[in-house]
Amino acid sequence: MSEAEDCLFCKIIAGQIPSTKVYEDDTTYAFKDINPKAKIHVLIVPKRHVANVGELAQSDPAQLEHIVEVAQSIADKEFHGEYRLVFNTGRDAGQTVFHAHAHVLTGEVLDE
C-alpha cells in the first residue's frame, strides 16, 4: 500500500472517512478538526498527497498560497478576519498525519 493510500487525510478527501466539510475546490479540501483547540478549528489540506508544508512550498508554492487564501476566507466568515495559522512539520513538531495541512484557529480571542 502506498503512503497516499494509507493516509488518513487522503481517505477523508476521497470520502472514505466522514468529515464536516467547510470548503472544497479542485485542489484543496477543508474540514472541521475532530479535536478542536479553539472555537473554530479547521484543517486545510491539498488534495494531492505531499508529506509536509516544506515539501509543498518546494513542489507547489501556488498551492501553499491558495491554502493561506482559503484560511483568510474561513476567518472572514467565522471571526472578523482574524485567525492563527499553524503548520506542524515533522514528528518532533507535533505532526501526526504526514499529509501537509494547515490548522486554522479562530472564533475567539486566542492566548499566546
Side-chain angles (χ1 to χ4, degrees):
M1 184 174 284
S2 77
E3 190 174 304
E5 290 173 330
D6 195 38
C7 173
L8 174 66
F9 290 167
C10 288
K11 290 177 181 178
I12 289 171
I13 293 163
Q16 298 169 346
I17 295 174
S19 66
T20 303
K21 179 171 61 172
V22 173
Y23 174 87
E24 182 175 20
D25 64 28
D26 291 341
T27 64
T28 308
Y29 187 74
F31 56 98
K32 290 184 179 181
D33 193 297
I34 62 169
N35 187 22
K37 305 296 185 208
K39 185 176 177 184
I40 306 296
H41 187 167
V42 175
L43 301 178
I44 306 173
V45 299
K47 288 185 172 180
R48 180 177 64 88
H49 183 86
V50 63
N52 59 56
V53 70
E55 190 176 301
L56 180 61
Q58 286 188 334
S59 67
D60 193 351
Q63 174 67 51
L64 180 55
E65 177 182 359
H66 182 58
I67 287 171
V68 175
E69 291 167 349
V70 171
Q72 184 66 61
S73 175
I74 291 167
D76 288 345
K77 290 178 190 169
E78 299 294 340
F79 194 63
H80 60 80
E82 295 185 2
Y83 63 103
R84 180 174 295 159
L85 188 62
V86 177
F87 290 92
N88 299 326
T89 303
R91 195 170 313 280
D92 290 343
Q95 185 177 7
T96 58
V97 178
F98 293 89
H99 182 127
H101 58 286
H103 296 259
V104 180
L105 303 144
T106 192
E108 61 190 325
V109 176
L110 300 172
D111 290 334
E112 289 188 26

